[in-house]
Amino acid sequence: MSKKHPHLLTPSIGLGCMNLSHAYGSPVAEDEAVKALHEAFDMGYRHFDTATLYGGGKNELLVGKALKHLRKEFFLASKCGMAIVDGKKEINGRPENIRQQCENSLKRLGVEHIDLYYLHRKDPNIAIEESVGALNDLVKEGKIGAIGLSEVSADTLRKAYKEAPITALQSEYSLWTRNPEIATLEATKELGVTFVAFSPLARGYLTGAVKSASDLEQGDIRLNMPRFNEDHYPSNIALLSNFLGMAKEIGCSPAQLALAWVLHQGDHVVAIPGTRFVNHMGDNLGATDVKLTDSQLSNLNDMINQNNVSGTRYNEAQQKEIDTEEF
């Protein structure tokens, strides 16, 4: 894996580009977003992650505009199988749809090749082998370099792996979302698949910046997530004081501590925190310098975990879209 795709593991922190165009309130103005991506590259990011879904294709257009002139110098990841169709989100893993979405992604990005192309969500109406078979055809044609899966179970990963080589599995993973520890973290390690942690800062919660849901802008995806609502968030905020105290004691930012914890979960684990702020991008990249002792890791595990976090990570509608194991 590391020999074949060195950029994916060096550095072990990539940039989730979604926040610039999608899901966290108003999109960032294009010129500012292009500038932010240039600065991210200059500070050392070499793994950029986007998707067909984000901003209805606008995020891929943005990444292409900002970075295509540097194409040979970074690792490019995008996703298919989930898109905005007639104003609604649609999950479609049919082979012909995957092929069409890949062609559209290449066009928007302004490139001839995407290093890693994920199935964004498993289509419950299509066998995973069919979707992966279509992705494998794109590998053979040189349009994509490798196949990824997102938010799937270990069982689905194993079925997919029998059909074609899977390079990466992307799933939400942080101190407050431990679902990968049920099975996928171990399955990816066993199969030699890179585990890519998205939302490793718990959607901003672990930075200590979100004091309450009232801080969030209208249109922010977190307003629909139970953990951030008034029934649950006060309890979750109460868990943070020891965490913030440990960051201070170690001499790192809370974001760096959260990311360091994720990166300590396995040599095959990388993280792709998303942010729209250049200062946060720089801060996040510094997490690779934070080394944690076994005792610190144990304390962190006890501080915030699936047993003391209040509320489910997704609402009912979003929960139906994923294939991941649940506690």
Side-chain angles (χ1 to χ4, degrees):
M1 169 66 220
S2 54
K3 286 177 189 167
K4 193 175 174 190
H5 300 290
H7 288 316
L8 192 54
L9 296 176
T10 315
S12 51
I13 294 177
L15 184 68
C17 300
M18 178 179 87
N19 303 42
L20 294 165
S21 315
H22 185 85
Y24 286 86
S26 316
V28 176
E30 189 183 271
D31 57 340
E32 280 179 51
V34 166
K35 188 167 175 261
L37 288 170
H38 287 165
E39 290 190 47
F41 181 86
D42 289 344
M43 68 177 70
Y45 281 95
R46 290 296 181 271
H47 171 187
F48 293 84
D49 181 281
T50 180
T52 291
L53 176 76
Y54 304 158
K58 288 178 183 167
N59 196 247
E60 285 182 321
L61 283 168
L62 172 68
V63 171
K65 183 172 184 177
L67 300 173
K68 65 184 171 191
H69 66 293
L70 298 163
R71 181 65 197 95
K72 291 179 179 171
E73 297 179 54
F74 69 93
F75 189 92
L76 176 63
S78 193
K79 310 178 197 72
C80 64
M82 185 155 69
I84 306 290
V85 179
D86 299 327
K88 287 184 178 176
K89 187 160 60 176
E90 176 186 276
I91 293 173
N92 182 341
R94 293 179 186 281
E96 63 275 16
N97 187 58
I98 285 172
R99 173 169 290 278
Q100 186 59 58
Q101 286 191 357
C102 182
E103 297 292 352
N104 295 344
S105 286
L106 290 166
K107 203 175 287 181
R108 283 191 292 263
L109 288 159
V111 300
E112 293 176 359
H113 178 85
I114 297 167
D115 296 306
L116 175 62
Y117 205 49
Y118 293 91
L119 183 68
H120 206 155
R121 292 290 186 272
K122 178 181 179 289
D123 183 339
N125 304 309
I126 301 289
I128 192 66
E129 292 87 348
E130 272 195 68
S131 298
V132 167
L135 287 165
N136 201 34
D137 288 341
L138 295 169
V139 172
K140 289 172 186 168
E141 291 165 29
K143 291 181 177 178
I144 67 174
I147 302 167
L149 300 173
S150 178
E151 289 280 39
V152 300
S153 64
D155 183 46
T156 297
L157 171 64
R158 290 183 198 284
K159 284 180 188 170
Y161 196 87
K162 283 178 185 169
E163 179 68 26
I166 305 297
T167 291
L169 186 154
Q170 182 172 139
S171 223
E172 183 175 351
Y173 189 36
S174 69
L175 278 167
W176 88 341
T177 296
R178 302 292 194 91
N179 303 63
E181 293 173 7
I182 301 170
T184 53
L185 210 56
E186 193 50 46
T188 47
K189 186 178 182 180
E190 182 193 314
L191 295 170
V193 173
T194 297
F195 184 93
V196 181
F198 77 79
S199 295
L201 303 180
R203 303 183 187 273
Y205 160 71
L206 289 168
T207 67
V210 185
K211 307 298 181 202
S212 81
S214 60
D215 292 350
L216 305 175
E217 189 186 331
Q218 196 174 346
D220 191 308
I221 193 173
R222 291 170 289 187
L223 292 169
N224 294 317
M225 293 181 166
R227 288 179 183 176
F228 285 96
N229 72 26
E230 58 190 18
D231 293 334
H232 300 289
Y233 204 56
S235 304
N236 293 330
I237 282 286
L239 298 175
L240 266 185
S241 59
N242 288 342
F243 176 80
L244 299 176
M246 183 187 279
K248 201 170 181 181
E249 193 181 300
I250 289 171
C252 66
S253 70
Q256 288 172 344
L257 181 57
L259 286 165
W261 177 85
V262 170
L263 297 178
H264 276 72
Q265 302 311 307
D267 293 339
H268 69 307
V269 177
V270 302
I272 50 165
T275 181
R276 49 178 57 200
F277 303 108
V278 171
N279 61 325
H280 293 175
M281 292 175 189
D283 184 58
N284 292 345
L285 217 48
T288 53
D289 297 326
V290 179
K291 304 299 176 225
L292 301 173
T293 65
D294 289 346
S295 167
Q296 287 166 333
L297 287 166
S298 177
N299 287 343
L300 286 165
N301 282 330
D302 292 341
M303 272 179 209
I304 302 169
N305 57 57
Q306 72 276 13
N307 298 317
N308 58 18
V309 166
S310 183
T312 53
R313 71 177 174 125
Y314 283 140
N315 62 32
E316 210 175 316
Q318 290 167 315
Q319 190 61 36
K320 286 176 183 166
E321 297 171 356
I322 61 171
D323 174 54
T324 13
E325 292 88 354
E326 296 298 314
F327 285 105

